[in-house]
Amino acid sequence: MQNHAWSAAVAACADPARARHFEAALVGAGLQPQLRGLSEAAAQALAALLSGSQVLGEWLVQHPDWLEVLLEPEVLAHPRSARGLRAEFEPQLKPRLKERDYAGALGRLRGFQQRELTRIALRDLAGKADVAEVTLELSDLADVCLETVLRVVWQQLTERFGVPYELTPEGRWQRTRFCVLGLGKLGGQELNYSSDVDVLFVYGAEGWAFKDPPREGSQAGKGLGNHDFFRRVGEAFIAEVGRSTEHGALYRIDLRLRPEGKTGPLARSLEGYENYYAQWGQTWERLMLIKARGVAGDSVLAGEFLDLMQPFRFPRLLGPGVAEEMAAMKQRLETEAVRTPDQNRNVKLGRGGIREIEFIVQTQQVLNAGRQPYLMDRQTLPTLRKLATYELLTPADADTLGAAYEFLRRVEHRLQMESHLQTHTLPTERRARERLARLMGFARLSEFEAALEQHRAGVRRVYEAIFAPAAPVRAGAGAGTALPELTGHDDFWRAHLAERSFRDPEQALRLATALVHGPGFGHVSARTETFARRLWERLLALCPARSTLEERRAAAGPDGDPAARWLSDPDRVLARLDTFISAYGTRAPLFETWHAKPTLFDLLVLLFDRSEFLAETVIRSPDLVDELEYSGRLHEVRNRERTLTDLRHGRDDDDQRLWIRRYHETEFTRIGLREILGLAPLEQHLQELTALAEACLQYALEVALRKCRLKTCPVAIIGLGKLGGAELNYGSDLDVVFVADDSVRNLAGLQRIAVEVLDLIASQTERGGGLPTGCPAAAGR
């Protein structure tokens, strides 16, 4: 065959002997004219493919019609999008679904996938695409394949069992949605040539399948429950995706990352996932869900799942328990690396390998993305750059990890495309290693191995710097006397609680047991119990022994110590805490938040001890203290103008009375907490309480004027008593008079304004929280 471009390309490729072998096979398949007419760029790309992969060369020989399409200049030059792939395959799929030719549809899909894998590898080996582009194309191809399989099995199962429905809260039937979530490299759009695909199956809610659409208010005709129906969908999906045929299998499905692993149900409802991760979710599952992405089925449901999981994936606060779990995960990675056969040849699991880079990135995301949403990214390379932007990595370390990641992924790709096998291990045969070196662009094996070692050493250096072993803790440092379990040691605990100033040790023991082990219904995870046990110990530390209490009271003097952290009434605090937890609802995230930020727990405990009124307020609004703490408003000093500006933000609310009440409730609590914590002197609290009352009165007056359609204000409100003297306390009435000019004749109209103002701020609301007032009738000046 006379084609100098082809001859030169074969001579320069990574394995000329293999390329000539496949050249002969292609000529035998009748492709000599096409080979003779190859351009220089096409010849180099084809020689790179034939020398770089035994299995792809065989596929090309089996499908000689692919060659002309794959070597078109436009195909070589540009990647394909998922949208383009769908548009090409849809005309092949649609008529076969209509004819119920499911085997034919899936057979066409497998052939389509093999051709596209060959195209992607051709561009990769020809140097037309970087790692990010290759992994995105591989992931897009997987998305299209998985979507197609789901469409096939969905049609099969709905024809057999009917369509799944669920009841809305309003009692109407609606179709139940379903989606497949991709995890790991599939979710992150960083797929390999021969990756497992990690997935989760999610459906909307429980219900039943119906052959005919159900009528409102009727359950006639219901069939399989939704859980069973979607389990069958999952089983059929797994079977078809992994089915081995003459075209091979599409992908290997891995479901081990689902809740409860191999023993867990294949599919769960949205609520089921929420409950599992709230009660049982572990740190490794946070890392796993970082890359989660909808890959097939209902995209809105996938978005709802991700929104629901956002606080779990990227928590704002993390306690020391998470750091301990990450340290244990790091130790497992080290152990796994040591135990990996030929770990020095494994570019993924070996020291300085791909997994260490991914672990660095994902741990930094879990630790920081809850406070820095910019870090919420599924992909490794963009996140490395973002970590440098936020100074969580130095630019040099981010560059080191990024360059190593691209290099190691290119090596991994060339290892896997050789035989289309999931491998990460360098070959032992020298000839195979030399071919790999040339595929990576190195003239000599020694140069490749030196570059590989340099990248691994760089990764290892950064990894060890970030996960440096913690300094050993001196035996006995900071340790107190270990307390026994709450159950089975009743005599000890009754005596201990009595000594700790509890008036009713029996009741306190019951409440403490419910705090740690749960209220007796449902199941509490071991992790939640661990957090609860630490919180209980923290609470006990605020309940000094009776002898210590007497000493502190004597030392405090007749005026007491407003900043003292010991509790005056532990029984009331524990009872209030139990009520608050019940009002909050889900125990696991609440305990994790308190464990991560124990000062928040201390703040609540002190509030429950110091103020019955504020305790009731917080129990009615369980998120109130969290909001005040996180926003930083506890440390602010607010005057009348600042408070009035805040109140005016709610001028468009439909229920102005409710808006004023809620705002006053929040500010009243903030001022009370500042006093409890000793953040300001008494005079400042009195001034802030007065400023709050004045701002509420002014705002209520503005609302009343708008309601009465008055552009100018015909009255003034005069404060008397403690309000007039700027000395309001927490139980003060507001003594006010409404005063108008002598020229005003419509006193009845002014009284309407006064009534409106008083109605807006009066304390006789449905749930309390208004401002107590005392007011004579409106008067002239």
Side-chain angles (χ1 to χ4, degrees):
M1 181 179 70
Q2 298 299 317
N3 184 323
H4 296 296
W6 172 251
S7 299
V10 169
C13 74
D15 192 339
R18 176 187 282 178
R20 292 191 186 97
H21 165 75
F22 281 119
E23 176 192 351
L26 291 172
V27 169
L31 295 179
Q32 184 170 352
Q34 287 88 336
L35 294 175
R36 187 179 294 137
L38 290 175
S39 66
E40 182 178 352
Q44 291 172 353
L46 181 58
L49 177 74
L50 297 179
S51 65
S53 172
Q54 178 70 29
V55 71
L56 296 179
E58 292 171 356
W59 288 356
L60 198 55
V61 170
Q62 293 166 11
H63 302 277
D65 55 306
W66 293 354
L67 186 64
E68 187 173 353
V69 175
L70 294 178
L71 293 179
E72 288 180 2
E74 286 295 310
V75 173
L76 277 176
H78 303 292
R80 298 192 70 185
S81 66
R83 183 177 180 179
L85 295 171
R86 292 187 191 99
E88 180 184 349
F89 190 69
E90 184 67 19
Q92 301 181 58
L93 175 65
K94 198 169 183 179
R96 287 170 176 80
L97 286 179
K98 187 175 181 180
E99 297 165 4
R100 295 179 173 78
D101 180 13
Y102 303 125
L106 293 172
R108 288 296 185 107
L109 179 65
R110 293 184 179 95
F112 177 77
Q113 185 225 27
Q114 286 189 355
R115 191 201 71 186
E116 286 302 303
L117 285 174
T118 306
R119 180 190 61 80
I120 296 167
L122 183 69
R123 297 186 68 248
D124 185 357
L125 290 168
K128 303 293 185 181
D130 59 18
V131 167
E133 193 169 273
V134 168
T135 55
L136 178 59
E137 283 209 83
L138 290 169
S139 302
D140 284 346
L141 175 60
D143 287 0
V144 172
C145 292
L146 297 177
E147 288 169 8
T148 302
V149 173
L150 181 58
R151 286 175 65 184
V152 170
V153 301
W154 185 265
Q155 182 168 316
Q156 288 177 301
L157 289 171
T158 52
E159 286 178 349
R160 181 179 175 188
F161 298 110
V163 175
Y165 283 82
E166 65 192 57
L167 278 171
T168 67
E170 295 78 25
R172 293 192 298 270
W173 289 105
Q174 68 179 16
R175 292 192 176 196
T176 302
R177 300 166 296 162
F178 177 79
C179 70
V180 181
L181 289 164
L183 309 172
K185 286 184 167 60
L186 173 63
Q189 296 180 297
E190 298 173 328
L191 210 58
N192 288 328
Y193 284 94
S194 187
S195 292
D196 287 347
V197 291
D198 302 306
V199 298
L200 293 177
F201 298 131
V202 185
Y203 59 92
E206 302 302 340
W208 296 272
F210 290 84
K211 287 289 185 71
D212 298 309
R215 291 175 298 177
E216 188 170 338
S218 172
Q219 295 187 7
K222 69 181 183 182
L224 279 180
N226 278 358
H227 186 76
D228 286 338
F229 178 86
F230 289 111
R231 173 182 57 81
R232 292 174 188 250
V233 171
E235 290 171 345
F237 182 86
I238 295 164
E240 292 299 348
V241 172
R243 190 182 303 283
S244 182
T245 69
E246 58 180 326
H247 297 291
L250 288 170
Y251 299 98
R252 295 174 301 275
I253 292 283
D254 191 341
L255 285 151
R256 291 175 296 175
L257 298 181
R258 72 184 189 270
E260 300 178 83
K262 292 181 179 179
T263 62
L266 279 183
R268 289 177 188 253
S269 68
L270 205 57
E271 183 182 14
Y273 279 106
E274 180 183 21
N275 291 338
Y276 171 82
Y277 288 118
Q279 291 290 341
W280 300 91
Q282 300 180 50
T283 298
W284 71 265
E285 289 172 305
R286 297 183 196 273
L287 271 65
M288 173 267 292
L289 286 174
I290 286 175
K291 293 181 179 290
R293 176 179 65 91
V295 298
D298 192 286
S299 60
V300 175
L301 178 64
E304 290 175 8
F305 175 91
L306 296 178
D307 288 344
L308 200 61
M309 293 299 111
Q310 196 78 337
F312 177 73
R313 295 195 298 166
F314 303 113
R316 287 190 301 174
L317 294 172
L318 287 166
V322 172
E324 293 167 8
E325 289 184 47
M326 285 188 175
M329 290 171 63
K330 187 253 186 184
Q331 186 57 48
R332 287 196 297 272
L333 287 180
E334 297 284 344
T335 303
E336 184 177 348
V338 170
R339 292 178 178 175
T340 299
D342 303 314
Q343 61 132 337
N344 290 329
R345 294 191 295 113
N346 193 306
V347 297
K348 178 180 179 181
L349 303 179
R351 293 166 68 85
I354 295 168
R355 178 167 289 182
E356 290 188 357
I357 301 173
E358 293 172 338
F359 188 66
I360 290 170
V361 170
Q362 291 168 20
T363 53
Q364 292 303 310
Q365 286 180 288
V366 167
L367 291 171
N368 299 288
R371 297 182 302 278
Q372 301 287 358
Y374 182 63
L375 298 174
M376 296 177 186
D377 197 306
R378 298 186 184 95
Q379 297 185 312
T380 303
L381 290 172
T383 306
L384 282 170
R385 294 190 287 270
K386 293 176 180 181
L387 290 172
T389 299
Y390 277 91
E391 300 181 351
L392 297 168
L393 287 175
T394 66
D397 285 349
D399 289 344
T400 294
L401 296 176
Y405 184 79
E406 291 192 79
F407 183 90
L408 294 172
R409 288 300 304 269
R410 289 181 64 227
V411 172
E412 185 181 47
H413 286 169
R414 281 142 185 77
L415 291 173
Q416 293 189 354
M417 70 172 64
E418 167 64 15
S419 301
H420 196 51
L421 295 174
Q422 187 183 27
T423 180
H424 315 281
T425 305
L426 301 173
T428 56
E429 183 187 7
R430 182 176 180 84
R431 185 168 176 273
R433 295 204 309 278
E434 288 175 341
R435 179 173 61 247
L436 175 62
R438 288 193 290 272
L439 289 170
M440 289 292 294
F442 295 91
R444 290 187 292 274
L445 175 60
S446 59
E447 294 174 355
F448 165 70
E449 290 178 338
L452 175 63
E453 183 55 36
Q454 181 180 2
H455 283 300
R456 286 172 137 180
V459 173
R460 192 65 193 177
R461 175 185 58 77
V462 178
Y463 183 81
E464 290 181 337
I466 292 175
F467 300 106
V473 180
R474 180 170 54 84
T481 305
L483 294 170
E485 291 290 333
L486 283 163
T487 55
H489 300 86
D490 291 9
D491 291 341
F492 167 84
W493 277 109
R494 290 189 193 98
H496 187 71
L497 292 170
E499 173 60 19
R500 288 282 177 173
S501 306
F502 284 89
R503 298 187 307 276
D504 187 349
E506 191 72 43
Q507 174 68 0
L509 179 56
R510 283 195 295 271
L511 292 175
T513 303
L515 171 70
V516 173
H517 299 294
F521 52 87
H523 189 72
V524 180
S525 70
R527 187 162 181 254
T528 302
E529 282 195 1
T530 299
F531 290 156
R533 193 172 291 109
R534 292 173 181 173
L535 293 170
W536 167 237
E537 292 170 359
R538 192 173 186 90
L539 176 61
L540 279 179
L542 297 173
C543 307
R546 289 186 182 278
S547 56
T548 307
L549 187 62
E550 293 302 325
E551 292 173 6
R552 290 191 182 185
R553 282 175 176 161
D559 296 328
D561 179 4
R565 295 303 179 120
W566 45 268
L567 302 181
S568 63
D569 192 344
D571 296 85
R572 181 174 69 178
V573 170
L574 188 55
R576 288 295 185 195
L577 191 61
D578 180 73
T579 305
F580 179 87
I581 294 168
S582 298
Y584 193 90
T586 310
R587 303 168 67 86
L590 176 63
F591 288 4
E592 184 162 351
T593 298
W594 284 345
H595 178 68
K597 195 160 187 179
T599 54
L600 192 59
F601 176 75
D602 293 350
L603 187 59
L604 271 171
V605 166
L606 286 172
L607 183 146
F608 292 156
D609 185 63
R610 302 297 196 263
S611 171
E612 187 77 15
F613 172 74
L614 292 180
E616 291 286 350
T617 301
V618 168
I619 288 169
R620 287 199 307 269
S621 305
D623 293 328
L624 184 56
V625 174
D626 296 31
E627 180 187 342
L628 290 171
E629 173 68 8
Y630 291 143
S631 65
R633 288 163 59 193
L634 272 180
H635 301 277
E636 294 178 356
V637 177
R638 292 180 166 239
N639 57 22
R640 178 181 183 274
E641 289 69 28
R642 174 72 181 277
T643 303
L644 184 58
T645 299
D646 281 354
L647 275 165
R648 285 169 176 162
H649 289 313
R651 62 176 294 156
D652 295 327
D653 278 29
D654 293 333
D655 190 338
Q656 286 293 307
R657 192 169 186 240
L658 180 62
W659 161 245
I660 296 173
R661 181 181 65 77
R662 285 181 173 172
Y663 184 86
H664 177 267
E665 184 177 82
T666 301
E667 279 298 289
F668 201 74
T669 304
R670 182 188 68 83
I671 297 167
L673 284 171
R674 282 173 54 77
E675 181 166 357
I676 288 170
L677 295 173
L679 295 177
L682 175 63
E683 293 79 5
Q684 191 174 93
H685 298 309
L686 300 180
Q687 290 169 4
E688 284 200 79
L689 286 168
T690 302
L692 174 60
E694 289 177 358
C696 288
L697 283 167
Q698 176 62 37
Y699 180 75
L701 180 59
E702 293 174 3
V703 173
L705 293 174
R706 288 200 303 272
K707 189 172 181 180
C708 296
R709 300 182 180 181
L710 295 175
K711 293 183 179 180
T712 59
C713 182
V715 298
I717 302 177
I718 307 298
L720 308 174
K722 285 186 168 59
L723 175 60
E727 297 173 331
L728 278 185
N729 58 35
Y730 294 98
S732 295
D733 288 341
L734 302 186
D735 297 314
V736 297
V737 292
F738 290 78
V739 179
D741 191 270
D742 287 337
S743 61
V744 174
R745 294 288 177 262
N746 185 16
L747 286 180
L750 298 185
Q751 286 179 332
R752 181 186 170 198
I753 294 174
V755 169
E756 289 287 347
V757 171
L758 296 178
D759 182 63
L760 286 167
I761 66 171
S763 62
Q764 286 78 22
T765 61
E766 292 179 7
R767 297 175 63 184
L771 285 74
T773 55
C775 176
R781 187 168 53 194

